[in-house]
Short mmCIF file of all heavy atoms in Angstrom, two decimals:
data_model
loop_
_atom_site.label_atom_id
_atom_site.label_comp_id
_atom_site.label_asym_id
_atom_site.label_seq_id
_atom_site.Cartn_x
_atom_site.Cartn_y
_atom_site.Cartn_z
N ASN A 1 0.78 -1.26 0.02
CA ASN A 1 -0.01 0.00 0.01
C ASN A 1 0.84 1.29 -0.02
O ASN A 1 0.38 2.34 -0.37
CB ASN A 1 -0.91 0.01 1.20
CG ASN A 1 -2.01 -1.01 1.11
OD1 ASN A 1 -2.71 -1.35 2.14
ND2 ASN A 1 -2.35 -1.53 -0.09
N TRP A 2 2.07 1.16 0.47
CA TRP A 2 2.91 2.29 0.60
C TRP A 2 3.96 2.48 -0.50
O TRP A 2 4.85 3.35 -0.45
CB TRP A 2 3.64 2.30 1.96
CG TRP A 2 2.66 2.03 3.12
CD1 TRP A 2 2.64 0.91 3.83
CD2 TRP A 2 1.64 2.84 3.59
NE1 TRP A 2 1.66 0.94 4.78
CE2 TRP A 2 0.99 2.20 4.65
CE3 TRP A 2 1.13 4.14 3.24
CZ2 TRP A 2 -0.07 2.71 5.32
CZ3 TRP A 2 0.10 4.68 3.88
CH2 TRP A 2 -0.52 3.95 4.93
N TYR A 3 3.89 1.61 -1.50
CA TYR A 3 4.88 1.60 -2.53
C TYR A 3 4.29 1.63 -3.92
O TYR A 3 3.18 1.12 -4.15
CB TYR A 3 5.69 0.31 -2.47
CG TYR A 3 6.41 0.06 -1.21
CD1 TYR A 3 5.92 -0.71 -0.19
CD2 TYR A 3 7.74 0.65 -0.98
CE1 TYR A 3 6.61 -0.86 1.00
CE2 TYR A 3 8.42 0.37 0.16
CZ TYR A 3 7.91 -0.38 1.18
OH TYR A 3 8.58 -0.59 2.35
N ALA A 4 5.08 2.28 -4.83
CA ALA A 4 4.79 2.06 -6.23
C ALA A 4 5.62 0.90 -6.61
O ALA A 4 6.70 0.64 -6.12
CB ALA A 4 5.18 3.27 -7.08
N ILE A 5 5.10 0.09 -7.55
CA ILE A 5 5.77 -1.16 -7.95
C ILE A 5 6.07 -1.09 -9.46
O ILE A 5 5.18 -0.85 -10.28
CB ILE A 5 4.91 -2.39 -7.65
CG1 ILE A 5 4.57 -2.45 -6.20
CG2 ILE A 5 5.61 -3.67 -8.04
CD1 ILE A 5 3.18 -1.79 -5.85
N GLY A 6 7.25 -1.44 -9.85
CA GLY A 6 7.67 -1.45 -11.22
C GLY A 6 8.15 -2.73 -11.72
O GLY A 6 8.62 -3.64 -10.85
N TRP A 7 7.99 -2.94 -12.97
CA TRP A 7 8.60 -4.10 -13.69
C TRP A 7 9.78 -3.63 -14.60
O TRP A 7 9.57 -2.71 -15.33
CB TRP A 7 7.61 -4.90 -14.47
CG TRP A 7 6.67 -5.75 -13.65
CD1 TRP A 7 5.45 -5.40 -13.17
CD2 TRP A 7 6.91 -7.07 -13.21
NE1 TRP A 7 4.87 -6.50 -12.49
CE2 TRP A 7 5.75 -7.46 -12.52
CE3 TRP A 7 7.99 -7.96 -13.33
CZ2 TRP A 7 5.65 -8.77 -11.90
CZ3 TRP A 7 7.85 -9.18 -12.78
CH2 TRP A 7 6.73 -9.58 -12.03
N PHE A 8 10.86 -4.32 -14.53
CA PHE A 8 12.02 -3.98 -15.37
C PHE A 8 12.40 -5.21 -16.10
O PHE A 8 12.04 -6.37 -15.71
CB PHE A 8 13.15 -3.46 -14.60
CG PHE A 8 12.92 -2.16 -13.87
CD1 PHE A 8 12.23 -2.13 -12.72
CD2 PHE A 8 13.37 -0.95 -14.41
CE1 PHE A 8 12.00 -0.87 -12.06
CE2 PHE A 8 13.20 0.24 -13.75
CZ PHE A 8 12.46 0.27 -12.56
N ARG A 9 13.15 -5.10 -17.19
CA ARG A 9 13.65 -6.29 -17.83
C ARG A 9 15.03 -5.98 -18.43
O ARG A 9 15.42 -4.85 -18.68
CB ARG A 9 12.73 -6.75 -19.03
CG ARG A 9 12.61 -5.82 -20.18
CD ARG A 9 11.57 -6.26 -21.17
NE ARG A 9 11.47 -5.35 -22.33
CZ ARG A 9 10.56 -5.54 -23.25
NH1 ARG A 9 9.64 -6.54 -23.22
NH2 ARG A 9 10.61 -4.66 -24.32
N GLN A 10 15.81 -7.03 -18.54
CA GLN A 10 17.18 -6.97 -19.12
C GLN A 10 17.38 -8.13 -20.02
O GLN A 10 17.41 -9.24 -19.58
CB GLN A 10 18.19 -6.87 -18.02
CG GLN A 10 19.64 -6.60 -18.55
CD GLN A 10 20.60 -6.27 -17.46
OE1 GLN A 10 20.40 -6.68 -16.27
NE2 GLN A 10 21.62 -5.49 -17.79
N ALA A 11 17.66 -7.80 -21.29
CA ALA A 11 18.00 -8.77 -22.28
C ALA A 11 19.52 -8.88 -22.36
O ALA A 11 20.21 -7.99 -22.08
CB ALA A 11 17.39 -8.40 -23.65
N PRO A 12 20.02 -9.97 -22.84
CA PRO A 12 21.47 -10.17 -23.00
C PRO A 12 22.08 -9.09 -23.89
O PRO A 12 21.61 -8.78 -24.89
CB PRO A 12 21.61 -11.55 -23.71
CG PRO A 12 20.38 -12.32 -23.26
CD PRO A 12 19.27 -11.24 -23.25
N GLY A 13 23.14 -8.45 -23.31
CA GLY A 13 23.83 -7.44 -24.02
C GLY A 13 23.15 -6.10 -24.08
O GLY A 13 23.63 -5.16 -24.80
N LYS A 14 22.07 -5.93 -23.39
CA LYS A 14 21.29 -4.68 -23.37
C LYS A 14 21.20 -4.12 -21.97
O LYS A 14 21.30 -4.84 -20.96
CB LYS A 14 19.93 -4.89 -23.98
CG LYS A 14 19.88 -5.26 -25.45
CD LYS A 14 18.48 -5.34 -25.99
CE LYS A 14 18.45 -5.69 -27.47
NZ LYS A 14 17.12 -5.69 -28.02
N GLU A 15 20.89 -2.86 -21.87
CA GLU A 15 20.71 -2.20 -20.60
C GLU A 15 19.37 -2.65 -20.07
O GLU A 15 18.44 -2.91 -20.74
CB GLU A 15 20.76 -0.70 -20.82
CG GLU A 15 22.07 -0.14 -21.29
CD GLU A 15 23.14 -0.25 -20.24
OE1 GLU A 15 22.85 -0.25 -19.06
OE2 GLU A 15 24.36 -0.34 -20.62
N ARG A 16 19.26 -2.61 -18.70
CA ARG A 16 18.02 -2.85 -18.03
C ARG A 16 17.05 -1.73 -18.39
O ARG A 16 17.46 -0.49 -18.43
CB ARG A 16 18.22 -2.97 -16.58
CG ARG A 16 16.94 -3.29 -15.82
CD ARG A 16 17.20 -3.39 -14.32
NE ARG A 16 17.93 -4.63 -13.99
CZ ARG A 16 18.49 -4.86 -12.81
NH1 ARG A 16 18.40 -3.97 -11.86
NH2 ARG A 16 19.18 -6.01 -12.64
N GLU A 17 15.81 -1.99 -18.65
CA GLU A 17 14.90 -0.94 -19.00
C GLU A 17 13.57 -1.15 -18.22
O GLU A 17 13.17 -2.20 -17.84
CB GLU A 17 14.53 -0.98 -20.51
CG GLU A 17 13.87 -2.34 -20.96
CD GLU A 17 13.49 -2.29 -22.39
OE1 GLU A 17 13.39 -1.26 -23.02
OE2 GLU A 17 13.28 -3.45 -22.96
N GLY A 18 12.98 0.01 -17.93
CA GLY A 18 11.68 -0.05 -17.26
C GLY A 18 10.55 -0.52 -18.24
O GLY A 18 10.48 -0.07 -19.40
N VAL A 19 9.69 -1.32 -17.78
CA VAL A 19 8.59 -1.90 -18.62
C VAL A 19 7.25 -1.37 -18.14
O VAL A 19 6.45 -0.92 -19.05
CB VAL A 19 8.57 -3.44 -18.44
CG1 VAL A 19 7.37 -4.06 -19.27
CG2 VAL A 19 9.86 -4.05 -18.98
N SER A 20 6.98 -1.30 -16.88
CA SER A 20 5.66 -0.86 -16.37
C SER A 20 5.85 -0.46 -14.92
O SER A 20 6.73 -0.83 -14.25
CB SER A 20 4.67 -2.02 -16.56
OG SER A 20 3.30 -1.53 -16.21
N CYS A 21 4.85 0.31 -14.47
CA CYS A 21 4.81 0.69 -13.04
C CYS A 21 3.36 1.01 -12.73
O CYS A 21 2.57 1.52 -13.55
CB CYS A 21 5.66 1.94 -12.87
SG CYS A 21 5.85 2.44 -11.16
N ILE A 22 3.02 0.74 -11.46
CA ILE A 22 1.77 1.03 -10.92
C ILE A 22 1.87 1.83 -9.59
O ILE A 22 2.73 1.53 -8.79
CB ILE A 22 0.94 -0.27 -10.72
CG1 ILE A 22 -0.55 0.07 -10.33
CG2 ILE A 22 1.54 -1.23 -9.69
CD1 ILE A 22 -1.51 -1.15 -10.38
N SER A 23 1.08 2.80 -9.46
CA SER A 23 1.19 3.67 -8.24
C SER A 23 0.71 2.91 -7.02
O SER A 23 0.05 1.87 -7.12
CB SER A 23 0.32 4.95 -8.46
OG SER A 23 -1.05 4.63 -8.55
N SER A 24 1.01 3.49 -5.88
CA SER A 24 0.66 2.86 -4.62
C SER A 24 -0.83 2.70 -4.45
O SER A 24 -1.36 1.76 -3.84
CB SER A 24 1.21 3.63 -3.42
OG SER A 24 0.72 4.98 -3.44
N SER A 25 -1.65 3.61 -5.06
CA SER A 25 -3.08 3.55 -4.95
C SER A 25 -3.61 2.65 -6.04
O SER A 25 -4.78 2.21 -6.00
CB SER A 25 -3.66 4.94 -5.12
OG SER A 25 -3.44 5.47 -6.43
N GLY A 26 -2.84 2.32 -7.04
CA GLY A 26 -3.32 1.51 -8.18
C GLY A 26 -3.98 2.34 -9.15
O GLY A 26 -4.49 1.80 -10.23
N GLY A 27 -4.08 3.61 -8.94
CA GLY A 27 -4.85 4.49 -9.86
C GLY A 27 -4.12 5.00 -11.09
O GLY A 27 -4.74 5.51 -11.99
N SER A 28 -2.83 4.83 -11.06
CA SER A 28 -2.01 5.30 -12.15
C SER A 28 -1.13 4.18 -12.64
O SER A 28 -0.48 3.53 -11.78
CB SER A 28 -1.21 6.55 -11.78
OG SER A 28 -2.06 7.62 -11.44
N THR A 29 -0.97 3.99 -13.90
CA THR A 29 -0.06 3.02 -14.46
C THR A 29 0.79 3.58 -15.57
O THR A 29 0.46 4.64 -16.20
CB THR A 29 -0.83 1.82 -15.07
OG1 THR A 29 -1.76 2.28 -16.04
CG2 THR A 29 -1.57 1.13 -13.98
N TYR A 30 1.93 2.98 -15.77
CA TYR A 30 2.89 3.43 -16.79
C TYR A 30 3.34 2.22 -17.59
O TYR A 30 3.50 1.16 -17.08
CB TYR A 30 4.15 4.09 -16.13
CG TYR A 30 5.41 4.17 -16.99
CD1 TYR A 30 5.55 5.18 -17.89
CD2 TYR A 30 6.33 3.14 -17.00
CE1 TYR A 30 6.62 5.26 -18.70
CE2 TYR A 30 7.41 3.18 -17.84
CZ TYR A 30 7.60 4.29 -18.69
OH TYR A 30 8.67 4.27 -19.56
N TYR A 31 3.50 2.43 -18.91
CA TYR A 31 4.03 1.39 -19.72
C TYR A 31 5.01 2.01 -20.76
O TYR A 31 4.85 3.05 -21.24
CB TYR A 31 2.85 0.77 -20.60
CG TYR A 31 1.75 0.18 -19.72
CD1 TYR A 31 0.63 0.85 -19.41
CD2 TYR A 31 1.94 -1.17 -19.27
CE1 TYR A 31 -0.38 0.22 -18.62
CE2 TYR A 31 0.96 -1.76 -18.57
CZ TYR A 31 -0.17 -1.05 -18.20
OH TYR A 31 -1.11 -1.70 -17.43
N ALA A 32 6.10 1.22 -20.91
CA ALA A 32 7.01 1.59 -21.95
C ALA A 32 6.30 1.49 -23.34
O ALA A 32 5.38 0.75 -23.51
CB ALA A 32 8.22 0.67 -21.98
N ASP A 33 6.70 2.37 -24.27
CA ASP A 33 6.06 2.39 -25.60
C ASP A 33 6.11 1.01 -26.28
O ASP A 33 5.17 0.67 -26.96
CB ASP A 33 6.72 3.40 -26.48
CG ASP A 33 6.47 4.84 -26.07
OD1 ASP A 33 5.41 5.09 -25.36
OD2 ASP A 33 7.16 5.76 -26.51
N SER A 34 7.19 0.25 -26.01
CA SER A 34 7.30 -0.99 -26.63
C SER A 34 6.31 -2.08 -26.20
O SER A 34 6.14 -3.08 -26.93
CB SER A 34 8.78 -1.50 -26.42
OG SER A 34 9.02 -1.71 -25.08
N VAL A 35 5.67 -1.86 -25.10
CA VAL A 35 4.73 -2.89 -24.56
C VAL A 35 3.26 -2.35 -24.48
O VAL A 35 2.41 -3.09 -24.09
CB VAL A 35 5.16 -3.44 -23.23
CG1 VAL A 35 6.60 -3.93 -23.32
CG2 VAL A 35 5.06 -2.37 -22.12
N LYS A 36 3.12 -1.07 -24.76
CA LYS A 36 1.72 -0.52 -24.66
C LYS A 36 0.75 -1.27 -25.51
O LYS A 36 1.04 -1.57 -26.65
CB LYS A 36 1.71 0.97 -25.04
CG LYS A 36 2.23 1.85 -24.00
CD LYS A 36 2.26 3.34 -24.41
CE LYS A 36 2.78 4.23 -23.39
NZ LYS A 36 2.75 5.70 -23.83
N GLY A 37 -0.41 -1.57 -25.00
CA GLY A 37 -1.44 -2.34 -25.73
C GLY A 37 -1.25 -3.81 -25.64
O GLY A 37 -2.14 -4.53 -26.05
N ARG A 38 -0.11 -4.25 -25.15
CA ARG A 38 0.15 -5.69 -25.01
C ARG A 38 0.31 -6.17 -23.57
O ARG A 38 -0.12 -7.30 -23.24
CB ARG A 38 1.42 -6.08 -25.79
CG ARG A 38 1.37 -5.78 -27.27
CD ARG A 38 2.56 -6.34 -28.06
NE ARG A 38 3.86 -5.78 -27.57
CZ ARG A 38 4.82 -6.54 -27.00
NH1 ARG A 38 4.65 -7.81 -26.88
NH2 ARG A 38 5.93 -5.90 -26.59
N PHE A 39 0.88 -5.35 -22.71
CA PHE A 39 1.08 -5.72 -21.29
C PHE A 39 0.14 -4.94 -20.40
O PHE A 39 -0.23 -3.77 -20.71
CB PHE A 39 2.49 -5.38 -20.86
CG PHE A 39 3.61 -6.24 -21.49
CD1 PHE A 39 3.34 -7.07 -22.56
CD2 PHE A 39 4.86 -6.15 -20.97
CE1 PHE A 39 4.33 -7.87 -23.13
CE2 PHE A 39 5.88 -6.93 -21.53
CZ PHE A 39 5.67 -7.77 -22.57
N THR A 40 -0.28 -5.54 -19.34
CA THR A 40 -1.13 -4.90 -18.41
C THR A 40 -0.58 -5.18 -16.91
O THR A 40 -0.39 -6.37 -16.55
CB THR A 40 -2.60 -5.36 -18.47
OG1 THR A 40 -3.08 -5.14 -19.77
CG2 THR A 40 -3.47 -4.63 -17.48
N ILE A 41 -0.36 -4.10 -16.20
CA ILE A 41 0.05 -4.26 -14.81
C ILE A 41 -1.19 -4.12 -13.90
O ILE A 41 -2.04 -3.33 -14.14
CB ILE A 41 1.12 -3.26 -14.47
CG1 ILE A 41 1.82 -3.55 -13.09
CG2 ILE A 41 0.58 -1.79 -14.48
CD1 ILE A 41 2.98 -2.77 -12.80
N SER A 42 -1.24 -4.96 -12.87
CA SER A 42 -2.34 -4.86 -11.88
C SER A 42 -1.86 -5.23 -10.53
O SER A 42 -0.70 -5.77 -10.37
CB SER A 42 -3.46 -5.74 -12.34
OG SER A 42 -3.09 -7.10 -12.36
N GLU A 43 -2.64 -5.00 -9.54
CA GLU A 43 -2.23 -5.24 -8.15
C GLU A 43 -3.37 -5.78 -7.33
O GLU A 43 -4.53 -5.33 -7.44
CB GLU A 43 -1.67 -3.92 -7.56
CG GLU A 43 -1.21 -4.05 -6.10
CD GLU A 43 -0.67 -2.73 -5.53
OE1 GLU A 43 -0.85 -1.71 -6.26
OE2 GLU A 43 -0.06 -2.71 -4.49
#
């Protein structure tokens, strides 16, 4: 309840990148452009 939660990923030979994030309230979500429309974060 007191944290925002993010998902990150790292492919071989690449930098770690942010994928998605959800606010502590669950009311706001973020998606990297590469996954928008395909991935859904929930809590």
Side-chain angles (χ1 to χ4, degrees):
N1 290 161
W2 312 112
Y3 299 95
I5 305 93
W7 284 96
F8 296 80
R9 68 185 182 186
Q10 186 168 27
K14 296 184 178 180
E15 299 290 334
R16 182 180 289 169
E17 62 177 342
V19 176
S20 185
C21 188
I22 187 168
S23 65
S24 59
S25 67
S28 298
T29 57
Y30 161 86
Y31 299 95
D33 288 341
S34 59
V35 306
K36 284 182 179 178
R38 300 189 298 120
F39 291 11
T40 303
I41 190 170
S42 62
E43 182 177 8

